[in-house]
Amino acid sequence: MAMIELGFGRQNFHPLKRKSSLLLKLIAVVFAVLLFCEFLIYYLAIFQCNWPEVKTTASDGEQTTREP
């Protein structure tokens, strides 16, 4: 009799390897979110901001600034 192999025999099933891979991906995502929320978002906001220009008036050759 010929034996038919269905592929249900020895499988390379490593649940510990799968869990460690999932844990590594989860840690990477959490690290990326923290990095974005704590640092990158502030640098994006800083690059969009600028100081307003202070207009100076000239009187008798002297430059004075207006008080706010």
Side-chain angles (χ1 to χ4, degrees):
M1 263 195 218
M3 182 178 248
I4 299 174
E5 193 170 318
L6 297 174
F8 296 119
R10 198 180 244 186
Q11 294 180 355
N12 291 333
F13 181 71
H14 300 289
L16 186 61
K17 195 172 195 178
R18 187 184 330 170
K19 286 182 183 180
S20 65
S21 175
L22 179 65
L23 183 63
L24 185 62
K25 288 178 185 177
L26 183 65
I27 290 172
V29 168
V30 168
F31 180 73
V33 168
L34 286 175
L35 181 71
F36 179 76
C37 290
E38 294 297 326
F39 296 105
L40 296 180
I41 197 71
Y42 294 116
Y43 287 112
L44 292 174
I46 287 172
F47 286 131
Q48 294 175 356
C49 295
N50 56 4
W51 287 97
E53 289 187 26
V54 177
K55 295 181 181 179
T56 59
T57 58
S59 62
D60 297 332
E62 297 176 11
Q63 288 187 352
T64 59
T65 60
R66 293 188 313 180
E67 293 185 19

